Amino acid sequence: MRASAGRGAGEATTQPRINTEDHRTTAGDAVSAVPPDDGGRPVGAGGRALRGVAGAFVAGLLVLTVALAGVQLWGFTKGGIGPGWVMLSAHVIAAVAALLLQLAADRVRRPVGGWYALGAMAVVLATLSYWWWS
């Protein structure tokens, strides 16, 4: 760091001192910057798009579940029945299952990750079709 313009030439500047001997690592402490390869090939554009669409479906189901919980609690406090505890619990279970499938799809680089994403989308579509479009 430089001394500021208002300081005299005789004033000391502040520079951090790094002692390299304090930061030694042993062979057992070495950390690789590259993640370990799980044997899969890199995900292509189609796989990323599929995971993105599945993630949007899962996010939508999560928002719907939170909104449904709010409506159920509002109906319960106002003396009404609301959508029903069975419907709410089914949405919570479906949202958790779809979220777990989507998390697995996002973490796996093998082609099975696409199947996880398709499974998450299937859970969302099955939930919507059973509870909302039947």
Side-chain angles (χ1 to χ4, degrees), residues 60-123:
L61 181 63
L62 289 170
V63 169
L64 176 65
T65 303
V66 169
L68 193 64
V71 170
Q72 177 64 33
L73 291 176
W74 178 75
F76 184 69
T77 58
K78 298 294 182 186
I81 59 171
W85 294 105
V86 174
M87 184 178 190
L88 177 62
S89 61
H91 276 72
V92 168
I93 291 169
V96 168
L99 182 63
L100 291 175
L101 284 168
Q102 182 62 33
L103 288 174
D106 287 340
R107 284 171 171 67
V108 175
R109 292 185 357 193
R110 298 182 306 249
V112 73
W115 291 107
Y116 287 142
L118 288 174
M121 288 175 62
V123 168

